[in-house]
């Protein structure tokens, strides 16, 4: 479990002693530096690193980094809100020792996610990891709920020797094909070894649909740990691939057309150790709370996409009939609805049942995405929202999904087709904005608008190229 206690100047009780012992142990294992990792509002992973001997100082006093990254764009230019984007001020990065791992794919390095705290020792309202801890804490206090989450990571393996920033797939062979598994077998075996060494329980690795595409799925954890893990998985995939001469892209769309890279989120709500998505009186074993939680996410999905699919490139991926889930609909094991109710197989449903949210990609900040999804679900749960009827088949083909009128009666509609529309939905969603708080909500709006301005006039291929290598 992730500690829900905020970092404090001087260190949480016992932490400095723990860090001192740990840094000696790490040095003995050949570690020289610790990567302090977080994800900015635009979804870009940002880091500072410290020598291993500075770990105790880092947990006591943090490591300086400007708050300006809250309004950085993916191209490293800066936008502003009324309180963010100024060159003034400083924040302190506090590593979470519970999540520190020695990086198997990067000899000499350890890694830890950070919370960002003001110089006065206060929570930084723009810190997305702190935001997710707050959402999880409030859910426990107000509703007696805990959650389990996992992020599926899809990525594209490209040849490292391709000229410039062009994309040449690192594999041949068809989707899910044995050819690809053999061609990249050395690299993916090393990835499995690195994940195991880092305590990541991998469920599957497989060649995916699009050229050069692969996917890794990992076990579920508490929400903060799951978000941390998704960042670590990407760091590991990239590092291992690079050692094999490959370049990696987690961008939602590596090229202008075709299937993109998703970052589907699996989420389940639990009370007193019982999974609310199983063993209930509702559809497919959902309890009334799980149905309302699902209804809440469904109702907020158009606005949520500003958080879960935040890049102009996200909208190249969010197209019908590409398994990205672009309709506000749910279905049982349906790959084309935004929400897939996963019941698991007989014998393990009490543990395995969950909700899969598909219109999420890896340009999304995972802390913001998971926290916003939980906030939306809790809104449904609190208001006892009714879950509309299920959808079967592909909603893009009404003949399969029932008549167009029947789909409309169930509230099935296309998610925003542009980032601009998504931002307008987000702006109009008081529940989500209140959950994020004004500083983060304004940062989301300003950064999305900044991204839109930065791609004005570009065609799909140029948009894909602009974001191909940043995530
Ligand atoms: N690549 C698809 C996406 O963009 C998902 C494929 C799958 O269901 O695994 O979401
Ligand atoms: Mg997949």
């Amino acid at each position: 479990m992730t500690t829900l206690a905020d970092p404090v100047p001087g260190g949480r009780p016992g932490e400095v002693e723990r860090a001192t012992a740990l840094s000696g142990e790490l040095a003995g294992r050949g570690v020289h530096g610790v990567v302090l990792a977080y994800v900015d509002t635009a979804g870009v992973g940002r880091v500072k690193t410290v020598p291993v001997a500075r770990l105790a100082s880092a947990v006591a006093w943090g490591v300086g980094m400007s708050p300006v990254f809250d309004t950085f764009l993916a191209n490293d230019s800066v936008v502003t809100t009324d309180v963010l984007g100024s060159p003034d001020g400083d924040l302190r990065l506090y590593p979470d020792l519970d999540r520190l791992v020695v990086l198997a794919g990067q000899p000499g390095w350890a890694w830890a996610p950070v919370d960002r705290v003001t110089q006065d020792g206060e929570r930084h309202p723009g810190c997305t990891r702190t935001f997710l801890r707050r959402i999880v804490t409030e859910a426990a206090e107000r509703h007696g709920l805990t959650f389990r989450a996992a992020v599926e990571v899809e990525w594209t393996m490209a040849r490292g020797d391709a000229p410039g920033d062009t994309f040449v797939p690192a594999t041949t062979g068809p989707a899910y094909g044995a050819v690809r598994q053999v061609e990249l077998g050395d690299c993916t075996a090393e990835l499995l070894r690195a994940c195991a060494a880092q305590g990541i329980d991998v469920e599957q690795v497989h060649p995916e649909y699009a050229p050069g595409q692969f996917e890794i799925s990992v076990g579920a954890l508490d929400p903060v740990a799951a978000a941390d893990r998704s960042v670590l998985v990407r760091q590991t995939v990239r590092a291992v691939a690079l050692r094999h001469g490959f370049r990696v892209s987690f961008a939602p769309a590596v090229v202008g057309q075709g299937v993109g890279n998703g970052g589907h989120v699996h989420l389940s709500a639990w009370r007193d150790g019982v999974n609310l998505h199983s063993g209930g009186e509702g559809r497919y074993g959902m309890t009334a709370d799980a149905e309302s939680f699902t209804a809440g996410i469904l109702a907020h999905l158009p606005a949520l996409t500003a958080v879960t699919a935040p890049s102009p490139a996200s909208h190249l991926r969010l197209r019908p009939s590409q398994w990205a889930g672009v309709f506000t609909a749910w279905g049982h094991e349906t790959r084309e609805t935004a929400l897939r109710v996963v019941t698991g197989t007989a014998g393990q449903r009490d543990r395995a049942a969950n909700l899969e949210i598909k219109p999420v990609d890896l340009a999304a900040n995972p802390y913001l995405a998971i926290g916003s999804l939980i906030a939306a679900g809790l809104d449904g749960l609190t208001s006892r929202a009714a879950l509309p009827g299920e959808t079967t088949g592909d909603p893009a083909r009404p003949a399969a999904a029932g008549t167009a009128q029947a789909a409309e009666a169930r509230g099935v509609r296309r998610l925003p087709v542009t980032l601009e529309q998504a931002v307008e939905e987000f702006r109009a969603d008081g529940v989500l904005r209140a959950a994020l708080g004004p500083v983060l909500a304004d940062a989301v709006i300003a950064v999305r608008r900044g991204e839109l301005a930065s791609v004005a006039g570009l065609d799909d291929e140029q948009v894909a190229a602009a974001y191909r290598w940043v995530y």
Side-chain angles (χ1 to χ4, degrees):
M1 284 292 285
T2 309
T3 177
L4 295 176
D6 289 324
V8 286
R12 298 180 185 98
E15 223 176 8
V16 171
E17 296 74 13
R18 188 177 162 202
T20 305
L22 192 57
S23 64
E25 189 194 309
L26 291 172
R29 291 174 64 187
V31 174
H32 303 295
V34 183
V35 179
L36 308 180
Y38 71 98
V39 183
D40 71 13
T41 317
V44 174
R46 308 274 177 191
V47 299
K48 280 248 176 131
T49 74
V50 289
V52 75
R54 296 284 299 174
L55 187 61
S57 157
V59 301
W61 309 113
V63 172
M65 193 154 185
S66 165
V68 77
F69 295 98
D70 290 326
T71 47
F72 250 51
L73 302 183
N75 69 5
D76 292 343
S77 59
V78 186
V79 294
T80 55
T81 68
D82 54 349
V83 292
L84 293 171
S86 146
D88 302 340
D90 196 28
L91 290 170
R92 312 301 299 174
L93 311 182
Y94 278 81
D96 185 340
L97 290 185
D98 291 339
R99 294 275 162 268
L100 185 141
V101 294
V102 176
L103 291 174
Q106 287 176 263
W109 289 98
W111 174 98
V114 298
D115 289 296
R116 293 181 301 147
V117 173
T118 71
Q119 283 179 307
D120 293 327
E122 318 256 298
R123 291 174 168 183
H124 171 49
C127 175
T128 57
R129 193 171 189 269
T130 306
F131 155 73
L132 180 53
R133 279 193 294 112
R134 172 170 60 75
I135 294 288
V136 168
T137 306
E138 287 171 3
E141 286 170 1
R142 294 182 192 162
H143 305 282
L145 293 176
T146 58
F147 300 91
R148 291 175 65 73
V151 180
E152 291 179 7
V153 172
E154 291 186 336
W155 78 94
T156 303
M157 205 72 109
R159 290 182 62 119
D161 57 2
D165 283 336
T166 56
F167 165 60
V168 179
T171 55
T172 60
Y176 304 89
V179 174
R180 290 194 200 174
Q181 194 283 323
V182 175
E183 285 180 347
L184 262 61
D186 286 351
C187 180
T188 46
E190 196 183 319
L191 176 61
L192 289 175
R193 186 187 64 79
C195 287
Q198 292 171 186
I200 298 170
D201 57 316
V202 174
E203 293 184 347
Q204 311 177 14
V205 177
H206 63 268
E208 255 287 345
Y209 214 130
Q213 193 180 38
F214 282 75
E215 173 177 333
I216 185 166
S217 45
V218 296
L221 297 169
D222 73 76
V224 179
D228 291 340
R229 176 176 269 189
S230 92
V231 181
L232 175 62
V233 165
R234 282 176 260 176
Q235 178 96 10
T236 308
V237 168
R238 176 165 278 132
V240 170
L242 197 64
R243 291 166 75 82
H244 286 261
F246 302 122
R247 200 172 184 192
V248 159
S249 174
F250 299 101
V254 175
V255 291
Q257 297 293 324
V259 171
N261 289 320
H264 303 179
V265 171
H266 289 263
L267 188 60
S268 53
W270 297 62
R271 185 175 282 122
D272 301 326
V274 176
N275 184 351
L276 300 183
H277 301 260
S278 164
E281 302 287 299
R283 282 157 282 180
Y284 300 108
M286 284 185 276
T287 62
D289 277 345
E291 283 211 0
S292 292
F293 186 81
T294 304
I297 293 180
L298 194 58
H300 288 284
L301 266 182
L304 280 166
T305 55
V307 174
T308 62
S311 167
S314 301
H315 290 267
L316 304 176
R317 164 182 172 255
L318 286 180
R319 287 176 174 147
S321 308
Q322 297 190 3
W323 294 4
V326 299
F327 290 91
T328 56
W330 71 275
H332 178 223
E333 302 290 4
T334 305
R335 260 112 178 137
E336 285 296 351
T337 53
L339 303 185
R340 169 182 169 219
V341 169
V342 181
T343 45
T345 45
Q348 52 159 222
R349 294 198 166 131
D350 54 340
R351 278 156 291 145
N354 69 82
L355 182 66
E356 179 180 11
I357 301 106
K358 289 178 172 287
V360 187
D361 61 46
L362 300 170
N365 174 314
Y367 304 96
L368 262 186
I370 297 175
S372 302
L373 289 167
I374 292 174
L378 289 178
D379 181 50
L381 191 136
T382 318
S383 61
R384 301 192 176 282
L387 184 64
E390 72 180 303
T391 292
T392 54
D394 184 350
R397 301 194 173 93
T403 65
Q405 292 93 316
E408 205 178 299
R410 291 198 306 277
V412 178
R413 65 177 176 111
R414 181 87 153 77
L415 286 172
V417 293
T418 63
L419 183 56
E420 201 169 0
Q421 276 177 24
V423 173
E424 284 316 301
E425 295 275 2
F426 178 82
R427 246 168 43 84
D429 192 318
V431 170
L432 284 187
R433 283 211 331 273
L436 268 66
V439 172
L440 254 181
D442 286 354
V444 165
I445 293 168
V447 168
R448 304 298 175 260
R449 287 184 172 157
E451 297 294 354
L452 279 164
S454 76
V455 297
L458 301 190
D459 65 23
D460 288 357
E461 227 28 78
Q462 291 167 322
V463 170
Y467 293 92
R468 187 175 288 149
W469 304 115
V470 295
Y471 303 113

